[in-house]
Amino acid sequence: FCFVGDVVSDADHPELFFARQLISNACGTQALLSVLLNIQNEKGVKLGEVLSNFNSFTQGLDGEMKGKIDAVF
C-alpha cells in the first residue's frame, strides 16, 4: 500500500467523525465506530442511546481527543 494524496486535518472536515486509534488491535472496532458515526441518519441507520451519547459528547473535539475518549469508552 502506498498512500498518494494530501493529508488533511480533521478540523478541515468537522462533519466527519474521526478518532485516532490509540488501542492496539482495535482497528476493526475503530472502523465500525467511524462508519456508524459517519452514516448516522442515512440509509436507515439509527444509533442507539450509547453511541448517540458518545457522538454528542465528542462533538467539537479533535481526532486525538476522540481517540483518548474512545480508549476508555
Side-chain angles (χ1 to χ4, degrees), residues 19-64:
R20 182 170 175 236
Q21 181 180 335
L22 300 173
I23 304 169
S24 298
N25 299 323
C27 52
T29 301
Q30 190 70 40
L32 287 172
L33 182 62
S34 293
V35 168
L36 288 171
L37 294 179
N38 283 317
I39 66 167
Q40 62 180 327
N41 302 322
E42 292 182 26
K43 302 179 182 122
V45 175
K46 187 173 181 179
L47 298 178
E49 183 180 356
V50 173
L51 285 180
S52 292
N53 290 341
F54 176 80
N55 192 36
S56 295
F57 183 76
T58 59
Q59 289 292 313
L61 301 177
D62 65 8
E64 183 79 19

